[in-house]
Amino acid sequence: SGTGNSYSVASKLRENGEKLVSVFDEESGKYEDERIGFVYPEYCSGLPPKMREFIEKSEFNAKYFFAVATCGASYKASLGEIKYYLKEKGKNLNYVNKLIMPDSCVLLAFPPSKVESLLASETERVNAIKKDLNKREINAIRVKKPRGAQNRLVWFLFGSVLGVYRKKSTEKCVSCGKCVKACKANNITLENGKVSFGNNCYECFACINACPKNAIRFGAIKATDKKRYTHPCEREEE
């Protein structure tokens, strides 16, 4: 959860006694419960790389599996990917759904009025999904092989055309360290007042949204005060 959307949704879906597991904080392992759910942000019509890696390397045992994607628009491809990985393990994905949330990609930033509206209705929309889960509703989705054509095309445009993989801090940087704290992959360091980016980025846009000076650029992509976004639950932890 780069900017907090998925964390907020997962927290609201959780029942008493259930554990939230962050794919950044825990290594892959064995997970067993009455139900197991995957709540994640969709990246360019696909699963986040870290979520894909976590599911591939982990073992799961449950009577009921569900997945909820937080996204700005599309969602079905990534949910189909989870079904693919679970099917490879002999498991079935019983229920899927989406939740439209403010987009964390500053290139596709929502206007403030839409952000406010989506956040105001979040709890109500999550509760509707929660009712489905409590009734153990079942719905269907087609299996999708990982990294489909649409996903590959979008990442090509982001990487080759916009240069999203070329990250740098500009002269606006004041060495506040907020990008370092925001990076779930521990990919950013601050040494001698200089911000440095490693090679372990998952393209979650957390750092560019966290920078108060709009000093981070991803190739041609840069943020403004109106385009930056973090969920209120993330801001409360600062």
Side-chain angles (χ1 to χ4, degrees):
S1 185
T3 52
N5 285 336
S6 295
Y7 174 77
S8 176
V9 171
S11 298
K12 291 178 173 65
L13 288 175
R14 177 174 56 173
E15 296 288 357
N16 291 335
E18 290 183 330
K19 180 182 179 181
L20 289 185
V21 175
S22 168
V23 297
F24 287 105
D25 295 338
E26 293 202 18
E27 297 295 330
S28 53
K30 295 182 179 181
Y31 299 92
E32 184 171 0
D33 212 321
E34 196 280 330
R35 69 173 190 171
I36 293 176
F38 304 92
V39 183
Y40 63 93
E42 182 168 281
Y43 288 1
C44 298
S45 301
L47 276 177
K50 187 66 175 179
M51 176 64 84
R52 185 186 303 125
E53 176 186 318
F54 183 81
I55 296 175
E56 278 189 300
K57 294 182 178 180
S58 297
E59 295 181 26
F60 306 100
N61 188 22
K63 295 180 180 178
Y64 185 79
F65 289 92
F66 68 91
V68 177
T70 60
C71 50
S74 62
Y75 74 100
K76 288 186 177 179
S78 65
L79 292 167
E81 285 185 34
I82 290 186
K83 185 163 186 174
Y84 172 89
Y85 287 119
L86 289 179
K87 187 176 180 181
E88 290 286 294
K89 297 175 181 293
K91 309 297 180 182
N92 185 46
L93 182 60
N94 305 106
Y95 177 89
V96 298
N97 214 322
K98 73 176 189 302
L99 207 74
I100 300 296
M101 295 291 286
D103 206 314
S104 61
C105 176
V106 295
L107 185 68
L108 306 171
F110 291 169
S113 59
K114 187 172 182 179
V115 171
E116 183 179 348
S117 175
L118 288 171
L119 292 178
S121 65
E122 178 189 348
T123 298
E124 180 182 356
R125 292 183 291 131
V126 172
N127 284 342
I129 296 175
K130 193 170 185 175
K131 287 181 181 179
D132 285 347
L133 297 179
N134 288 339
K135 291 187 293 184
R136 298 298 186 263
E137 293 282 0
I138 294 176
N139 57 19
I141 190 167
R142 295 178 62 184
V143 169
K144 290 279 188 180
K145 287 189 176 182
R147 292 185 60 78
Q150 181 180 354
N151 179 249
R152 295 196 304 273
L153 174 61
V154 175
W155 277 118
F156 172 78
L157 293 174
F158 265 69
S160 299
V161 179
L162 295 174
V164 71
Y165 305 126
R166 300 192 302 271
K167 297 172 178 62
K168 68 176 183 179
S169 61
T170 69
E171 67 282 353
K172 294 180 180 179
C173 178
V174 294
S175 304
C176 66
K178 289 189 175 182
C179 59
V180 178
K181 182 180 178 181
C183 182
K184 304 295 191 298
N186 298 316
N187 189 54
I188 306 174
T189 56
L190 183 62
E191 298 178 5
N192 300 320
K194 298 287 186 179
V195 170
S196 177
F197 296 90
N199 297 312
N200 193 38
C201 180
Y202 287 108
E203 317 303 338
C204 72
F205 284 79
C207 60
I208 199 169
N209 281 293
C211 179
K213 299 298 183 181
N214 303 319
I216 296 175
R217 294 193 63 164
F218 290 5
I221 300 175
K222 58 182 179 179
T224 65
D225 288 341
K226 290 184 178 180
K227 290 184 176 181
R228 286 192 295 115
Y229 166 78
T230 54
H231 193 282
C233 73
E234 286 285 310
R235 295 195 289 269
E236 289 171 2
E237 293 183 2
E238 292 184 355

